[in-house]
Amino acid sequence: MVSATVGTGTALGAVVVSLLAAPAQAATPTGTNHAGTERAAVAAAAAPDDAGLRAILRTARSQGAPGAMARIDDNGTVHRLVEGVADRATGRTISTNDRFRVGSVTKSFSAVVLLQLVDEGRLKLDKSVNSYLPGLLPDSRITVRHVLSHRSGLYDYTNDMFARTVPGFEAVRNKVFSYRDLVKLSLKNPRTNAPGAAYSYSNTNFVVAGMLIEKLTGHSVGTEYQKRIFTPLNLTNTFYVHPGTAIPGRHANGYLNPDTAGAALVDSTKQTASWAQSAGAIISTPHDLDAFFSALLRGKLVSAAQLTQMTKWTRVNSNTSYGLGLRRRDLSCGISVYGHTGTVQGYYTYAFTTKDGKRSLTALANTSNNITVLNTMYRTLESAFCGKPATTAAARVAAPDAAPLERHEDIAPAITRD
């Protein structure tokens, strides 16, 4: 069953580009401009294509997602679309009010806390991580900026942890790791590149970010998220419950697709998410993610100087760049959107907003390890920000059989699946 509603409200708009980028490659920061200029403003954007979004959500369900949803905040006008179920056992329809695990969208929250600490004079982006956490890393040339931009060269421990999807998950579902445990897992492997030499996505980087937050503040990351972001923005449905295993209140269950074709989906809702922590353990809702990214791009969370640092881009592929805990996606209509993707067992999230924060999208499918669904959900960005396809090129991007645009990067980026 599909439902769609459009209304008005006062929610902050935001869009998180939340999922996975294409294969990593060497790149250099390109500053805040791209393709010569920022090519479009929200004022010039077409209205969201609700019919196109409905079709995308239906397609995702036909491809194996139990449910899918999208919420757009278009400068106070809210679009809500849903398809399928939040819980396969009860058959309850998925809702844009449901809470879910946001995965690597957490990285943007962690980056905001560290940039606030820069604003407070307690942290310097170009200072060695080891100057704050003595002896942690094997190379003192690795800076805070390298960590936040995935240019440290630190190996992603999830490559080994989740080389086999279901067995890997079940081995850590109820396990509690320390940050140092996770860093040690990374350091068992060679680094991928010299500090600053190339972009290479790694969850290890944002484990280090969590350690920096706790060292500099003397508090847990959960406390700092709450004090600095959740409470000021009134994100009442956003939580950091690690190492608790349950999602509080009404939520969408997550369903992990096994590697073996035809095997049953695994309900992966309950887990510590300790393997992710400051790299991926936040729980939220579409409303709260829209509000968060809108506030960030509107300059309500960090100073203009630090937002400029956050948006110094490293090119990842033809349509994706990475800043400091923030992704930029360049769409077919010339609009760029800003946010993050998120993959955690059972959930694919895209959360992005426009440069002025006035139009935001959060889209979710409650499955993972299904690259077909991942590619389908990417297309929600086109419908939300570009409107109905008006050109052949745009139509090709929005077409159900479009060439793959995404790959699994948020978890085990070196592992090729499907």
Side-chain angles (χ1 to χ4, degrees):
M1 178 178 183
V2 178
S3 67
T5 60
V6 179
T8 58
T10 58
L12 293 169
V15 179
V16 181
V17 181
S18 166
L19 279 112
L20 316 162
Q25 60 189 26
T28 55
T30 56
T32 56
N33 292 330
H34 59 284
T37 61
E38 293 283 359
R39 293 182 290 168
V42 175
D49 179 10
D50 284 357
L53 281 168
R54 288 190 196 99
I56 290 166
L57 300 183
R58 289 183 183 130
T59 299
R61 191 178 183 200
S62 73
Q63 293 166 338
M69 61 176 163
R71 181 188 187 275
I72 300 169
D73 186 334
D74 188 13
N75 202 25
T77 299
V78 177
H79 303 241
R80 302 177 181 89
L81 301 103
V82 303
E83 171 74 17
V85 301
D87 186 332
R88 297 177 73 216
T90 67
R92 181 177 69 80
T93 300
I94 200 167
S95 166
T96 57
N97 294 321
D98 286 342
R99 298 165 180 170
F100 57 91
R101 297 188 184 280
V102 308
S104 286
V105 178
T106 302
K107 292 177 172 67
S108 297
F109 288 79
S110 297
V112 164
V113 173
L114 286 177
L115 289 169
Q116 289 181 354
L117 292 171
V118 174
D119 277 329
E120 294 164 14
R122 299 162 72 181
L123 179 71
K124 293 184 178 179
L125 289 173
D126 294 311
K127 196 168 180 179
S128 170
V129 168
N130 281 351
S131 67
Y132 300 104
L133 298 166
L136 178 69
L137 302 180
D139 191 333
S140 290
R141 295 176 298 168
I142 297 173
T143 66
V144 177
R145 187 188 301 275
H146 292 149
V147 163
L148 294 181
S149 60
H150 292 297
R151 295 185 301 124
S152 68
L154 294 170
Y155 178 84
D156 193 329
Y157 58 86
T158 66
N159 291 332
D160 302 325
M161 191 176 281
F162 301 123
R164 297 176 64 213
T165 298
V166 173
F169 169 63
E170 295 294 1
V172 300
R173 181 197 281 262
N174 296 306
K175 191 167 183 177
V176 177
F177 295 92
S178 71
Y179 283 129
R180 288 189 179 272
D181 289 336
L182 298 174
V183 172
K184 287 178 182 177
L185 290 175
S186 169
L187 296 181
K188 289 180 179 179
N189 295 273
R191 280 172 282 154
T192 57
N193 51 262
Y199 170 91
S200 182
Y201 192 96
S202 175
N203 286 286
T204 310
N205 289 313
F206 279 80
V207 168
V208 173
M211 296 179 75
L212 286 166
I213 290 169
E214 296 195 347
K215 177 65 179 290
L216 293 169
T217 66
H219 302 135
S220 69
V221 293
T223 296
E224 292 300 311
Y225 294 150
Q226 188 71 50
K227 180 178 74 173
R228 295 171 175 273
I229 304 174
F230 302 170
T231 297
L233 295 184
N234 196 29
L235 306 184
T236 57
N237 289 299
T238 304
F239 306 91
Y240 185 82
V241 301
H242 173 267
T245 61
I247 299 176
R250 176 170 165 157
H251 60 272
N253 284 18
Y255 296 94
L256 177 61
N257 192 45
D259 291 327
T260 304
L265 296 175
V266 174
D267 188 326
S268 53
T269 311
K270 290 187 176 181
Q271 62 162 303
T272 62
S274 193
W275 66 267
Q277 299 187 54
S278 51
I282 282 177
I283 293 162
S284 192
T285 62
H287 168 276
D288 282 9
L289 292 185
D290 283 351
F292 167 68
F293 280 104
S294 177
L296 175 58
L297 269 294
R298 290 176 190 237
K300 295 181 181 295
L301 288 172
V302 299
S303 68
Q306 298 318 317
L307 188 56
T308 295
Q309 296 301 316
M310 200 173 195
T311 55
K312 287 188 174 180
W313 305 109
T314 298
R315 175 64 70 176
V316 175
N317 61 31
S318 62
N319 69 350
T320 303
S321 298
Y322 205 93
L324 302 183
L326 191 69
R327 292 192 191 277
R328 187 190 80 220
R329 288 292 172 89
D330 304 329
L331 304 180
S332 67
C333 56
I335 290 174
S336 294
V337 292
Y338 308 83
H340 215 287
T341 55
T343 298
V344 64
Q345 291 89 357
Y347 303 93
Y348 282 145
T349 306
Y350 284 88
F352 287 84
T353 193
T354 48
K355 189 179 181 183
D356 61 5
K358 290 185 178 179
R359 183 183 295 182
S360 305
L361 163 75
T362 296
L364 171 82
N366 60 342
T367 193
S368 68
N369 194 39
N370 184 330
I371 203 165
T372 307
V373 170
L374 176 62
N375 277 290
T376 292
M377 293 302 291
Y378 171 85
R379 288 161 31 216
T380 60
L381 299 178
E382 292 283 332
S383 292
F385 296 105
C386 295
K388 295 181 179 179
T391 67
T392 301
R396 279 199 301 269
V397 171
D401 59 351
L405 298 168
E406 298 291 87
R407 69 185 287 271
H408 292 274
E409 185 177 70
D410 290 344
I411 297 179
I415 305 298
T416 301
R417 305 192 196 279
D418 301 293

